[in-house]
C-alpha cells in the first residue's frame, strides 16, 4: 500500500470525474433546466473511440499533446481505485459513503482519458470524458455528491497503516457546460509532503468532462487551463 498512497489524489479525482460528480452545479443553470417543460431532444451517443478522438486532439498548457490512456488501462485504474477505497478507512463516515458511491461508473457509460506529464513543474494533467445514456444520471449523481461533499471539506484516509489528511476547497469555476464546478484538494502524506490536485468539471446534457492537474505546487492559477480543456471536450 505504501506505493499507492502518493497517487491516491489522482485516483480519487479520476473516480469523481468518471462518475460525473465532485462538486456543486451552478444554481442558476440548474433552476432553469428544472423549470422548463420543453421536451428535451434525444441525447447524442458516444462510443469510447469517439470520446478518445476528442481527447487525442487536446494539448496541455505547454502545447504538448495529451496521450490517450488505453480503455483497458482506465478499467484497471477504476478497479484499483475501487479496491483502494474499499480497503481504506475514511473518516468521517459520510466521506467514506461518498467515496464508495462515487466509485461506480453508470451502467452503459462510455469514457476516455488523456494525460500529460510535465518534468518542468513536476505535474500531471489529466482530462476525462464521460457520456451516459440519460442526462438525468449525471444530474442526480452530481446532486448526491454535492450534498455529501458539504460534510467532507476535511477528512482523513488511512491505508496500509498510514494516514493521509485531506482538505477540499470549492472553487467558483465556470465552463461552457450547463453545470460547472471547481475544487482544490490538498493532501498531506505520511512523509509530511503536500500534494495538491486541482479539478474542474463541466456537464452538458449527457456528456461530462473533468480536467485535473496534480503536483506538489499546484495552485488555483491553473484553473483557466483546465477550463479550456473541459470546454474543448464539451464543445
Amino acid at each position: 500500500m505504501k506505493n499507492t498512497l502518493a497517487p491516491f489524489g489522482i485516483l480519487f479525482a479520476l473516480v469523481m470525474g468518471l462518475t460525473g460528480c465532485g462538486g456543486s452545479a451552478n444554481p442558476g443553470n440548474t433552476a432553469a433546466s428544472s423549470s422548463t417543460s420543453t421536451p428535451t431532444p434525444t441525447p447524442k451517443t458516444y462510443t469510447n473511440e469517439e470520446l478518445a478522438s476528442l481527447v487525442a486532439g487536446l494539448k496541455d498548457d505547454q502545447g504538448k499533446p495529451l496521450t490517450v490512456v488505453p480503455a483497458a488501462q482506465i478499467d484497471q485504474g477504476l478497479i484499483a481505485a475501487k479496491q483502494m477505497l474499499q480497503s481504506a478507512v475514511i473518516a468521517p463516515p459520510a466521506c467514506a459513503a461518498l467515496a464508495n458511491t462515487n466509485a461506480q461508473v453508470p451502467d452503459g457509460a462510455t469514457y476516455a482519458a488523456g494525460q500529460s506529464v510535465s518534468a518542468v513543474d513536476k505535474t500531471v494533467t489529466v482530462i476525462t470524458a464521460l457520456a451516459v445514456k440519460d442526462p438525468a444520471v449525471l444530474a442526480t449523481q452530481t446532486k448526491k455528491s454535492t450534498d455529501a461533499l458539504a460534510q467532507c471539506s476535511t477528512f482523513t484516509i488511512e491505508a496500509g497503516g498510514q494516514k493521509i489528511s485531506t482538505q477540499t476547497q470549492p472553487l467558483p469555476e465556470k465552463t461552457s457546460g450547463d453545470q460547472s464546478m471547481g475544487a482544490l484538494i490538498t493532501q498531506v502524506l505520511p512523509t509530511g509532503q503536500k500534494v495538491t490536485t486541482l479539478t474542474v468539471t463541466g456537464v452538458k446534457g449527457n456528456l461530462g468532462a473533468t480536467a485535473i492537474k496534480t503536483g506538489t505546487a499546484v495552485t488555483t492559477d491553473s484553473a483557466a487551463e483546465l477550463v479550456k480543456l473541459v470546454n474543448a471536450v464539451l464543445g
Side-chain angles (χ1 to χ4, degrees), residues 14-41:
L14 278 173
V15 169
M16 291 196 296
L18 284 175
T19 51
C21 70
S24 58
N26 290 334
N29 291 336
T30 302
S33 61
S34 62
S35 61
T36 180
S37 59
T38 304
T40 56

Side-chain angles (χ1 to χ4, degrees), residues 14-187:
L14 278 173
V15 169
M16 291 196 296
L18 284 175
T19 51
C21 70
S24 58
N26 290 334
N29 291 336
T30 302
S33 61
S34 62
S35 61
T36 180
S37 59
T38 304
T40 56
T42 301
K44 174 180 172 57
T45 58
Y46 298 86
T47 64
N48 286 343
E49 292 73 21
E50 287 174 327
L51 293 178
S53 68
L54 288 177
V55 172
L58 303 179
K59 297 180 179 180
D60 63 17
D61 194 47
Q62 299 175 5
K64 179 182 177 181
L66 270 65
T67 301
V68 175
V69 181
Q73 187 174 332
I74 297 176
D75 292 338
Q76 291 174 357
L78 287 171
I79 292 173
K82 291 178 183 178
Q83 292 176 339
M84 186 181 295
L85 290 172
Q86 290 172 354
S87 62
V89 176
I90 302 176
C95 301
L98 167 67
N100 291 326
T101 297
N102 290 343
Q104 306 298 323
V105 174
D107 291 337
T110 54
Y111 43 86
Q115 67 176 355
S116 107
V117 180
S118 173
V120 177
D121 55 10
K122 298 181 180 179
T123 61
V124 177
T125 299
V126 180
I127 178 74
T128 63
L130 171 79
V132 297
K133 296 179 180 179
D134 184 0
V137 171
L138 288 182
T140 300
Q141 189 78 4
T142 301
K143 177 62 169 60
K144 288 181 179 179
S145 300
T146 300
D147 293 342
L149 281 172
Q151 307 175 49
C152 297
S153 59
T154 301
F155 59 96
T156 60
I157 305 168
E158 186 171 355
Q162 300 188 65
K163 185 177 293 185
I164 299 175
S165 299
T166 303
Q167 291 185 329
T168 60
Q169 175 189 349
L171 302 174
E173 305 305 326
K174 292 186 179 181
T175 69
S176 61
D178 303 318
Q179 299 176 356
S180 302
M181 66 77 57
L184 186 67
I185 303 172
T186 302
Q187 293 182 306

